[in-house]
């Protein structure tokens, strides 16, 4: 059960009381009537900028992974709380210096941002925008389950847009920050329609909350309910929290009237969705410390034609939805690397920026992931072919076995907790001698805080992350035999930073600092939801 994420049902201490209560009730009732209830966040990991649609009895969700490749994850659910990855809308967003980490450039905090997900006339659409490419990207497929997408892209890059197919056959983007602009597209979505509608339809959308904002209205998502057009946005009042707003109009071109929809715990930005039974929810997200931005499900009722979010104005921790499943499905996953050469990676894996196909492989050495060095880099953050997965809460760990027999002088390889303020445990080779090292970049610059001699070719490495109550601490370990583990270095105080704009990730890496051509082999990658101490 080491990777079954038992604690996903006990995210907070109070949940243990609910579990105990359910157990006691089970002594006096048939087992079939006792069910755990879903809790928020329904995914305790970095899944921000959620856009959700329902087709029949199935829900689909897109999210943001920015500079990761592949990107723009597409997920599936039957109950709005348990989600599995179907795939990604693109393998490569754009192939330029930023996404290749070349000439000192990078796409941290950039790449592609908030997406819009639609189903129209038998076709699924997911669109996003990118300052890194300078374009707006639309991906289309008839079969979202296969997740094989065709792309259209064009200029300009339209910030936080919502793709909308109106009943009269016209197609629009509603987008922008502060002022929201409605812009008509060509019917085939190939670009902006010449002479089509192009006007600001909501001015200062944040003004329904306050005129004094540190973040003006953005995160647009539009839908039509009972003949009215509804626009969901967020803003951030100065000195306050991320706040959800909603506007409505009888015509898509306006005029719009608006109000504050939710101001609680910073839970905001997302969309409205109905169930086959006629219930309504808002799928939003919350800044959740170093683990990232985590999605929440908030009940919605309707009063006088307005969506009313939450219970008595609050985003509830507990939901009246049965949840008998465990864990994060395939959003995170252990991997033994026991596949034939050329086999695809499990969906949980994403590369930090665009990978170099010739410098990594699975199967070159049976049962191992090999990462070779193709160039010299001064910083681990500029190193290509770093393979990553999300960390997750409330606690999580990642472990790997590393074979360093192919390293060259100047190489350093290992397991990293990736963000701007990163930390890693690994092996460094200098003057034909190898050492175990722990590097902590929790301050202004990385510091090697521990170095131990290593006289064998393989070593086990582990990082444990504690996100409970926003403790946000990472601990680093090594083992020479895979049985006896020892702490190395000091604690990394993890911090979510805007330059990276992403929750911490576990990563496997190999960096050359003197010469190229070295390689390391990772025997496995195993995740758990327990801490050693």
């Amino acid at each position: 059960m080491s990777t079954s994420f038992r604690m996903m049902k006990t995210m907070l201490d109070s949940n243990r009381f609910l579990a105990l209560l359910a157990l006691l009730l089970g002594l006096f009732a048939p087992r079939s009537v006792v069910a755990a209830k879903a809790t928020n966040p329904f995914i305790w990991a970095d899944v921000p900028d959620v856009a959700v649609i329902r087709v029949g009895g199935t829900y689909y969700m897109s999210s943001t992974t920015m500079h990761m490749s592949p990107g723009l994850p597409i997920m599936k659910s039957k109950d709005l709380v348990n989600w599995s990855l179907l795939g990604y809308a693109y393998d490569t967003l754009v192939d330029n210096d930023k996404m290749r980490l070349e000439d000192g450039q990078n796409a941290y905090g950039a790449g592609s941002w908030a997406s819009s997900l639609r189903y129209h006339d038998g076709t699924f659409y997911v669109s996003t925008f990118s300052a890194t490419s300078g374009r707006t990207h639309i991906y289309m497929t008839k079969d979202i389950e296969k997740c094989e997408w065709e792309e259209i892209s064009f200029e300009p890059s339209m910030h936080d847009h919502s793709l909308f197919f109106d009943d009269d056959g016209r197609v629009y983007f509603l987008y922008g920050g502060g002022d929201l602009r409605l812009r008509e597209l060509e019917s085939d979505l190939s670009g902006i329609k010449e002479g089509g509608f192009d006007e600001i339809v909501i001015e200062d959308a944040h003004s329904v909350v306050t005129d004094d904002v540190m973040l003006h209205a953005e995160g647009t998502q539009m839908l039509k309910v009972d003949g009215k057009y509804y626009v969901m946005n967020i803003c951030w009042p100065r000195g306050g929290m991320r706040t959800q707003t909603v506007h409505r109009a009888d015509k898509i071109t306006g005029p719009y009237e608006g109000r504050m929809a939710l101001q609680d715990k910073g839970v905001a930005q997302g969309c409205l969705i109905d169930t086959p039974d006629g219930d309504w929810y808002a799928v939003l997200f919350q800044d959740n410390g170093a683990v990232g931005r985590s999605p929440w499900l908030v009940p919605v009722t309707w009063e006088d034609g307005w969506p009313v979010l939450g219970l008595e104005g609050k985003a509830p921790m507990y939901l009246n939805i049965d949840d008998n499943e465990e864990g994060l499905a395939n959003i995170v996953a252990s991997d033994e690397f026991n596949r034939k050469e050329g086999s695809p990676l499990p969906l949980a894996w994403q590369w930090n920026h665009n990978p170099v196909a010739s410098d990594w492989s699975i199967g070159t050495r049976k049962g191992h992931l090999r990462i070779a060095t193709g160039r010299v880099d001064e910083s681990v953050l500029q190193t290509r072919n770093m393979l990553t997965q999300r960390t997750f809460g409330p606690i999580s760990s990642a472990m790997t076995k590393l074979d360093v027999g192919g390293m060259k002088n100047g190489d350093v390889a290992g397991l990293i907790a990736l963000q701007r303020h990163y930390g890693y445990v690994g092996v460094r080779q200098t003057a034909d001698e190898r050492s175990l090292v722990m590097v902590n970049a929790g301050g202004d610059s990385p510091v090697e805080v521990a170095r131990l001699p290593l006289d064998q070719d393989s070593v086990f490495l582990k990082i444990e992350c504690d996100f409970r109550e926003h403790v946000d601490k990472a601990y680093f370990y090594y083992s020479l035999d895979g049985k006896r583990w020892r702490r190395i270095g000091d604690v990394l105080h993890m911090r979510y930073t805007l330059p990276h704009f992403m929750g911490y990730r576990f990563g496997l890496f190999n960096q050359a600092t003197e010469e190229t051509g070295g390689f390391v082999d990772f025997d496995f990658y195993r995740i758990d939801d327990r801490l050693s101490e």
Side-chain angles (χ1 to χ4, degrees):
M1 291 277 296
S2 62
T3 59
S4 64
F5 313 118
R6 294 168 300 278
M7 294 190 70
M8 297 307 293
K9 290 290 184 289
T10 55
M11 293 179 184
L12 300 174
D13 290 341
S14 54
N15 285 24
R16 295 188 178 92
F17 170 77
L18 293 179
L20 178 59
L21 179 60
L23 179 62
L24 292 174
L25 289 173
L27 297 176
F28 305 102
R31 184 177 180 83
S32 60
V33 302
V34 179
K37 294 298 181 180
T39 58
N40 277 315
F42 60 85
I43 301 176
W44 197 330
D46 191 50
V47 184
D49 302 335
V50 285
V52 179
I53 59 172
R54 179 176 61 84
V55 180
T58 304
Y59 305 94
Y60 299 98
M61 179 168 68
S62 61
S63 181
T64 295
T65 52
M66 296 184 294
H67 51 275
M68 295 292 166
S69 295
L72 215 175
I74 308 296
M75 304 180 189
K76 172 185 176 180
S77 175
K78 287 291 187 178
D79 59 8
L80 285 172
V81 296
N82 292 284
W83 294 84
S84 60
L85 267 172
L86 293 174
Y88 299 89
Y90 62 79
D91 287 325
T92 303
L93 173 70
V94 61
D95 189 28
N96 60 17
D97 286 353
K98 289 183 178 180
M99 285 300 297
R100 290 193 300 264
L101 292 169
E102 290 187 343
D103 295 329
Q105 299 187 62
N106 62 68
Y108 286 114
S112 67
W113 284 7
S115 58
S116 179
L117 184 61
R118 297 293 182 197
Y119 179 70
H120 178 70
D121 284 349
T123 298
F124 292 88
Y125 301 84
V126 63
S127 58
T128 186
F129 68 103
S130 172
T132 306
S133 70
R135 303 176 72 84
T136 296
H137 302 258
I138 303 175
Y139 303 90
M140 301 166 290
T141 184
K142 293 287 187 181
D143 189 347
I144 196 172
E145 301 282 334
K146 289 185 178 179
C147 229
E148 297 174 352
W149 301 82
E150 297 179 3
E151 180 189 8
I152 294 173
S153 70
F154 51 82
E155 296 179 343
S157 172
M158 286 184 274
H159 181 83
D160 278 16
H161 63 251
S162 183
L163 176 63
F164 191 81
F165 295 88
D166 209 354
D167 296 335
D168 60 3
R170 300 171 77 177
V171 191
Y172 302 90
F173 272 140
L174 181 64
Y175 70 100
D179 296 336
L180 304 184
R181 179 178 292 274
L182 185 68
R183 205 162 185 182
E184 191 171 358
L185 304 180
E186 296 286 357
S187 59
D188 62 0
L189 307 184
S190 58
I192 305 300
K193 183 176 182 179
E194 186 175 353
F197 189 88
D198 183 5
E199 292 182 13
I200 292 173
V201 294
I202 305 177
E203 294 184 356
D204 294 329
H206 54 266
S207 63
V208 296
V209 176
T210 179
D211 290 324
D212 186 17
V213 292
M214 57 181 288
L215 177 66
H216 53 208
E218 60 178 23
T220 299
Q221 296 205 35
M222 173 181 274
L223 78 162
K224 192 174 185 179
V225 181
D226 294 336
K228 287 186 180 291
Y229 298 85
Y230 293 86
V231 178
M232 298 278 282
N233 287 101
I234 62 103
C235 66
W236 199 316
R238 193 174 305 280
M241 68 182 71
R242 184 187 285 110
T243 300
Q244 185 68 49
T245 67
V246 62
H247 288 76
R248 72 177 185 184
D250 293 322
K251 297 180 179 179
I252 194 170
T253 55
Y256 284 85
E257 56 180 335
R259 59 172 58 177
M260 184 175 72
L262 182 67
Q263 191 176 62
D264 181 48
K265 307 182 189 73
V267 176
Q269 189 168 335
C271 60
L272 299 173
I273 191 73
D274 65 337
T275 73
D277 295 331
D279 296 324
W280 282 84
Y281 292 91
V283 191
L284 310 172
F285 71 83
Q286 178 195 49
D287 292 327
N288 197 15
V291 79
R293 297 177 292 169
S294 301
W296 280 55
L297 194 62
V298 177
V300 172
T301 56
W302 290 84
E303 295 180 7
D304 299 325
W306 288 98
V308 178
L309 277 61
L311 303 178
E312 298 182 352
K314 302 295 182 181
M317 292 295 303
Y318 308 105
L319 299 163
N320 190 28
I321 299 175
D322 290 344
D323 181 13
N324 294 313
E325 298 184 34
E326 288 193 33
L328 294 166
N330 63 341
I331 296 173
V332 297
S334 296
D335 193 346
E336 298 297 315
F337 302 123
N338 287 324
R339 294 185 297 281
K340 293 181 180 179
E341 191 169 0
S343 298
L345 291 165
L347 293 174
W349 289 116
Q350 289 177 282
W351 297 100
N352 179 30
H353 293 69
N354 293 350
V356 183
S358 60
D359 289 339
W360 75 273
S361 67
I362 291 178
T364 299
R365 178 180 175 186
K366 186 177 180 180
H368 289 76
L369 164 71
R370 175 166 292 182
I371 300 180
T373 59
R375 71 179 190 196
V376 171
D377 292 301
E378 293 184 2
S379 169
V380 68
L381 295 181
Q382 291 296 119
T383 299
R384 300 189 73 175
N385 285 6
M386 183 186 294
L387 189 59
T388 78
Q389 286 193 27
R390 293 172 177 84
T391 60
F392 55 92
I395 54 179
S396 56
S397 72
M399 175 178 66
T400 189
K401 181 183 179 183
L402 177 64
D403 189 308
V404 296
M407 293 182 80
K408 291 193 173 184
N409 288 333
D411 289 358
V412 57
L415 180 64
I416 190 171
L418 176 64
Q419 232 270 0
R420 180 187 182 190
H421 297 288
Y422 61 85
Y424 68 74
V425 56
V427 176
R428 185 187 303 277
Q429 180 165 316
T430 305
D432 297 323
E433 294 184 353
R434 300 190 191 113
S435 302
L436 278 162
V437 296
M438 187 270 164
V439 171
N440 191 322
D444 294 332
S445 59
V447 177
E448 184 181 279
V449 295
R451 181 184 286 228
L452 302 171
L454 179 67
D455 58 4
Q456 59 189 57
D457 283 345
S458 64
V459 65
F460 297 80
L461 308 173
K462 181 167 61 174
I463 300 176
E464 297 182 343
C465 297
D466 187 353
F467 299 109
R468 293 171 297 186
E469 299 179 357
H470 290 185
V471 168
D472 291 349
K473 292 182 179 180
Y475 306 89
F476 301 80
Y477 299 82
Y478 75 94
S479 174
L480 299 178
D481 58 9
K483 298 177 182 178
R484 293 169 294 179
W485 289 91
R486 298 178 180 177
R487 284 270 299 273
I488 183 171
D490 53 15
V491 176
L492 173 66
H493 294 271
M494 295 181 286
R495 289 180 284 160
Y496 187 97
T497 67
L498 292 182
H500 275 212
F501 214 172
M502 182 174 285
Y504 274 79
R505 285 186 165 240
F506 296 122
L508 308 176
F509 73 94
N510 186 18
Q511 175 192 3
T513 65
E514 296 180 14
E515 57 180 314
T516 63
F519 65 88
V520 294
D521 292 327
F522 295 91
D523 190 0
F524 56 76
Y525 173 86
R526 296 172 186 165
I527 54 176
D528 205 342
D529 63 347
R530 295 175 297 182
L531 301 182
S532 298
E533 301 175 3

